[in-house]
């Protein structure tokens, strides 16, 4: 696998991780929960994401999703982060994938909850 392909895979996985909660809701409505969870389990075993994206009708261009098929329109998610109250400060550093497999990065903000990896079901690693 080339460096360019590895980076594309990392970006795809970051987008999938970001969208997994909405995708799970749609998959449940469409009767595709087993297929989606099968993809998540495969990712946890270290398998590549792209074949699972194709099967689910998902494509990522960087971290911008393009969806086709039954998972084409996940419902909008409510805002997840509320600004902190009081004299908080922003930490220096970012949260990253706990398995170091994807390109997801989260900048911590005062009052934010600990960001979670929805693929590995673990908190993101700070550093």
């Amino acid at each position: 696998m080339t460096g360019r392909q590895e980076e594309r895979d990392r970006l795809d996985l970051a987008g999938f991780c970001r969208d997994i909660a909405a995708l799970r809701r749609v998959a449940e409505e469409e009767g595709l929960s087993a297929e989606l969870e099968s993809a998540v389990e495969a990712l946890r075993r270290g398998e590549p994401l792209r074949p699972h994206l194709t099967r689910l009708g998902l494509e990522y261009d960087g971290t911008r999703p393009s969806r086709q098929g039954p998972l084409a329109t996940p419902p909008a998610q409510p805002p997840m982060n509320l600004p902190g109250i009081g004299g908080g400060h922003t930490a220096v550093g970012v949260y990253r994938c706990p398995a170091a497999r994807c390109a997801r990065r989260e900048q911590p903000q005062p009052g934010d909850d600990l960001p979670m990896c929805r693929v590995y079901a673990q908190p993101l690693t700070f550093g």
Side-chain angles (χ1 to χ4, degrees):
M1 184 181 303
T2 67
R4 186 175 184 173
Q5 182 61 44
E6 286 176 8
E7 183 60 18
R8 182 174 179 187
D9 290 345
R10 290 173 49 81
L11 291 171
D12 287 347
L13 186 53
F16 186 79
C17 181
R18 181 195 61 236
D19 292 342
I20 192 76
L23 292 171
R24 281 183 167 136
R25 286 192 296 272
V26 174
E28 184 175 351
E29 293 170 7
E30 297 293 329
L32 295 170
S33 292
E35 290 86 346
L36 183 61
E37 294 310 315
S38 175
V40 171
E41 288 299 319
L43 293 171
R44 289 177 181 162
R45 290 189 303 269
E47 294 179 24
L49 176 61
R50 187 147 305 276
H52 300 285
L53 290 177
T54 301
R55 193 168 26 256
L56 292 167
L58 300 172
E59 178 72 32
Y60 286 91
D61 177 13
T63 56
R64 295 182 311 267
S66 167
R67 298 177 180 92
Q68 302 169 347
L71 297 183
T73 314
Q77 290 186 346
M80 298 297 284
N81 298 323
L82 298 174
I85 298 174
H89 67 280
T90 301
V92 177
V94 294
Y95 288 101
R96 301 171 189 265
C97 177
R101 282 194 61 202
C102 84
R104 183 174 171 200
R105 303 288 184 265
E106 297 283 333
Q107 177 67 46
Q109 298 296 318
D112 282 355
D113 289 333
L114 182 63
M116 297 292 293
C117 171
R118 295 177 187 107
V119 172
Y120 289 95
Q122 297 176 3
L124 297 184
T125 303
F126 186 78

